[in-house]
Amino acid sequence: MDDLLARAREKLAQLGYKWTDQRRDIIAYLAEDLNQHLSAEELYAILKERGEQIGLATVYRTLELMVEAGIVHKLQFGDGRSRYEVADADHHHHHLICNRCGQVFEVPMDWLEELEQSIEKDYDFEITGHHLKIYGICSACKKAAGGEKGDEKPL
Protein backbone atom coordinates (compact mmCIF):
# COMPACT_ATOMS: atom_id res chain seq x y z
CA MET A 1 0.00 0.00 0.00
CA ASP A 2 2.86 2.40 0.73
CA ASP A 3 4.03 2.04 -2.88
CA LEU A 4 0.55 2.91 -4.14
CA LEU A 5 0.35 5.94 -1.85
CA ALA A 6 3.76 7.12 -3.06
CA ARG A 7 2.74 6.70 -6.72
CA ALA A 8 -0.53 8.56 -6.12
CA ARG A 9 1.27 11.38 -4.32
CA GLU A 10 3.83 11.66 -7.12
CA LYS A 11 1.15 11.65 -9.83
CA LEU A 12 -0.87 14.37 -8.12
CA ALA A 13 2.30 16.46 -7.66
CA GLN A 14 3.07 16.10 -11.39
CA LEU A 15 -0.39 17.46 -12.12
CA GLY A 16 0.14 20.37 -9.72
CA TYR A 17 -2.12 19.14 -6.90
CA LYS A 18 -1.28 19.05 -3.21
CA TRP A 19 -1.22 15.83 -1.20
CA THR A 20 -3.80 16.32 1.53
CA ASP A 21 -4.80 14.13 4.45
CA GLN A 22 -8.21 13.57 2.84
CA ARG A 23 -6.67 12.42 -0.45
CA ARG A 24 -4.34 10.11 1.46
CA ASP A 25 -7.23 8.70 3.49
CA ILE A 26 -9.34 7.98 0.40
CA ILE A 27 -6.63 6.22 -1.60
CA ALA A 28 -5.40 4.37 1.50
CA TYR A 29 -8.86 2.98 2.20
CA LEU A 30 -9.41 1.93 -1.42
CA ALA A 31 -5.98 0.25 -1.40
CA GLU A 32 -6.81 -1.81 1.70
CA ASP A 33 -8.93 -4.18 -0.38
CA LEU A 34 -8.48 -4.09 -4.14
CA ASN A 35 -11.65 -6.19 -4.58
CA GLN A 36 -14.04 -3.49 -3.37
CA HIS A 37 -16.12 -1.26 -5.60
CA LEU A 38 -17.37 1.59 -3.46
CA SER A 39 -19.58 4.52 -4.35
CA ALA A 40 -18.62 7.97 -3.10
CA GLU A 41 -21.42 7.76 -0.53
CA GLU A 42 -20.24 4.38 0.78
CA LEU A 43 -16.65 5.57 1.02
CA TYR A 44 -17.75 8.74 2.80
CA ALA A 45 -19.76 6.74 5.36
CA ILE A 46 -16.81 4.43 6.06
CA LEU A 47 -14.36 7.29 6.49
CA LYS A 48 -16.74 9.17 8.80
CA GLU A 49 -17.27 6.00 10.84
CA ARG A 50 -13.49 5.79 11.24
CA GLY A 51 -13.47 9.32 12.60
CA GLU A 52 -11.96 11.03 9.56
CA GLN A 53 -12.71 14.74 9.15
CA ILE A 54 -14.03 14.78 5.59
CA GLY A 55 -17.11 15.99 3.72
CA LEU A 56 -19.09 14.18 1.03
CA ALA A 57 -18.29 16.90 -1.52
CA THR A 58 -14.57 16.40 -0.80
CA VAL A 59 -14.93 12.67 -1.40
CA TYR A 60 -16.65 13.30 -4.75
CA ARG A 61 -14.07 15.89 -5.86
CA THR A 62 -11.15 13.74 -4.74
CA LEU A 63 -12.44 10.64 -6.52
CA GLU A 64 -12.96 12.59 -9.76
CA LEU A 65 -9.46 14.06 -9.46
CA MET A 66 -8.01 10.58 -8.95
CA VAL A 67 -9.90 9.30 -11.98
CA GLU A 68 -8.49 12.19 -14.03
CA ALA A 69 -5.00 11.35 -12.73
CA GLY A 70 -5.37 7.65 -13.58
CA ILE A 71 -5.06 6.59 -9.93
CA VAL A 72 -8.63 5.31 -9.66
CA HIS A 73 -11.06 3.78 -12.18
CA LYS A 74 -14.66 4.94 -12.28
CA LEU A 75 -17.01 2.03 -12.94
CA GLN A 76 -20.70 1.76 -13.86
CA PHE A 77 -22.48 -1.47 -12.98
CA GLY A 78 -26.00 -0.49 -14.00
CA ASP A 79 -27.25 0.46 -10.53
CA GLY A 80 -27.25 4.21 -11.17
CA ARG A 81 -24.17 4.90 -9.01
CA SER A 82 -20.57 5.36 -9.99
CA ARG A 83 -18.23 3.03 -8.17
CA TYR A 84 -14.49 3.34 -7.78
CA GLU A 85 -11.50 1.03 -7.55
CA VAL A 86 -7.74 1.53 -7.53
CA ALA A 87 -6.23 1.57 -11.01
CA ASP A 88 -3.49 -0.99 -10.42
CA ALA A 89 -1.60 -2.28 -13.46
CA ASP A 90 -0.71 -5.46 -11.56
CA HIS A 91 -4.33 -6.22 -10.62
CA HIS A 92 -5.95 -7.54 -13.84
CA HIS A 93 -9.53 -8.66 -13.38
CA HIS A 94 -13.04 -8.63 -14.76
CA HIS A 95 -16.40 -8.17 -13.10
CA LEU A 96 -19.42 -10.43 -12.70
CA ILE A 97 -22.57 -8.49 -11.80
CA CYS A 98 -25.70 -10.15 -10.43
CA ASN A 99 -28.83 -8.83 -12.16
CA ARG A 100 -30.95 -9.55 -9.08
CA CYS A 101 -29.03 -8.37 -6.03
CA GLY A 102 -26.48 -6.12 -7.76
CA GLN A 103 -23.50 -7.76 -6.08
CA VAL A 104 -20.22 -7.39 -7.96
CA PHE A 105 -17.68 -10.22 -8.00
CA GLU A 106 -14.13 -9.89 -9.26
CA VAL A 107 -12.59 -12.56 -11.43
CA PRO A 108 -8.85 -12.19 -10.80
CA MET A 109 -7.61 -13.05 -14.26
CA ASP A 110 -7.35 -11.30 -17.58
CA TRP A 111 -9.30 -13.36 -20.10
CA LEU A 112 -8.62 -10.92 -22.93
CA GLU A 113 -4.84 -10.90 -23.03
CA GLU A 114 -4.54 -13.17 -26.09
CA LEU A 115 -7.34 -11.29 -27.86
CA GLU A 116 -5.61 -7.97 -27.20
CA GLN A 117 -2.33 -9.25 -28.61
CA SER A 118 -4.09 -10.49 -31.72
CA ILE A 119 -5.93 -7.19 -32.22
CA GLU A 120 -2.74 -5.17 -31.79
CA LYS A 121 -0.94 -7.33 -34.34
CA ASP A 122 -3.75 -7.71 -36.89
CA TYR A 123 -4.98 -4.12 -36.78
CA ASP A 124 -1.81 -2.24 -35.79
CA PHE A 125 -3.84 -0.90 -32.87
CA GLU A 126 -2.28 -0.04 -29.53
CA ILE A 127 -4.68 -1.10 -26.77
CA THR A 128 -4.41 1.00 -23.64
CA GLY A 129 -6.98 -0.83 -21.55
CA HIS A 130 -10.33 -2.56 -21.36
CA HIS A 131 -13.20 -3.32 -18.99
CA LEU A 132 -15.22 -6.54 -19.15
CA LYS A 133 -18.49 -6.84 -17.25
CA ILE A 134 -20.51 -10.05 -17.36
CA TYR A 135 -24.11 -9.95 -16.14
CA GLY A 136 -26.03 -12.90 -14.74
CA ILE A 137 -27.50 -14.40 -11.58
CA CYS A 138 -25.24 -15.18 -8.61
CA SER A 139 -25.42 -18.49 -6.76
CA ALA A 140 -27.11 -16.96 -3.69
CA CYS A 141 -29.90 -15.47 -5.81
CA LYS A 142 -30.33 -18.72 -7.74
CA LYS A 143 -30.66 -20.63 -4.46
CA ALA A 144 -33.07 -18.08 -3.01
CA ALA A 145 -35.27 -18.34 -6.10
CA GLY A 146 -35.06 -22.11 -6.32
CA GLY A 147 -32.98 -21.89 -9.47
CA GLU A 148 -35.69 -19.98 -11.37
CA LYS A 149 -34.85 -17.44 -14.04
CA GLY A 150 -36.55 -14.07 -14.38
CA ASP A 151 -36.92 -10.91 -12.33
CA GLU A 152 -33.55 -9.69 -13.61
CA LYS A 153 -32.73 -6.02 -13.51
CA PRO A 154 -32.50 -4.51 -17.00
CA LEU A 155 -28.97 -3.83 -18.24
Side-chain angles (χ1 to χ4, degrees):
M1 177 173 35
D2 289 339
D3 184 46
L4 177 61
L5 289 172
R7 286 193 326 243
R9 185 176 189 161
E10 182 180 325
K11 182 67 175 175
L12 289 176
Q14 288 172 355
L15 295 172
Y17 294 102
K18 293 179 181 177
W19 184 249
T20 65
D21 290 344
Q22 292 88 355
R23 291 173 181 163
R24 183 203 61 227
D25 293 342
I26 288 170
I27 194 69
Y29 187 80
L30 290 175
E32 283 181 21
D33 179 1
L34 296 178
N35 295 320
Q36 61 189 341
H37 306 89
L38 298 174
S39 68
E41 296 87 356
E42 291 166 332
L43 182 56
Y44 167 74
I46 290 165
L47 293 172
K48 288 301 282 184
E49 188 176 290
R50 289 180 159 198
E52 304 297 344
Q53 298 298 312
I54 194 165
L56 181 57
T58 300
V59 173
Y60 273 108
R61 284 192 307 270
T62 299
L63 287 169
E64 289 303 317
L65 173 62
M66 291 186 182
V67 168
E68 177 189 323
I71 299 165
V72 168
H73 288 299
K74 184 177 187 176
L75 306 168
Q76 302 292 331
F77 293 129
D79 63 355
R81 293 193 291 178
S82 297
R83 298 186 177 275
Y84 301 87
E85 69 178 3
V86 172
D88 186 355
D90 297 327
H91 185 65
H92 297 286
H93 64 279
H94 300 290
H95 300 102
L96 307 177
I97 300 123
C98 180
N99 290 335
R100 290 193 182 156
C101 68
Q103 188 167 355
V104 178
F105 304 88
E106 281 199 1
V107 179
M109 60 185 76
D110 190 351
W111 291 323
L112 301 179
E113 195 169 323
E114 279 186 44
L115 177 61
E116 285 182 351
Q117 291 172 358
S118 179
I119 289 170
E120 287 184 331
K121 179 180 174 225
D122 295 347
Y123 294 92
D124 189 26
F125 186 83
E126 181 181 343
I127 296 174
T128 59
H130 69 264
H131 292 283
L132 176 64
K133 296 180 273 189
I134 299 174
Y135 295 87
I137 309 298
C138 72
S139 62
C141 287
K142 286 193 306 187
K143 287 177 189 171
E148 297 176 25
K149 292 191 175 193
D151 295 333
E152 289 89 16
K153 294 178 185 173
L155 300 178

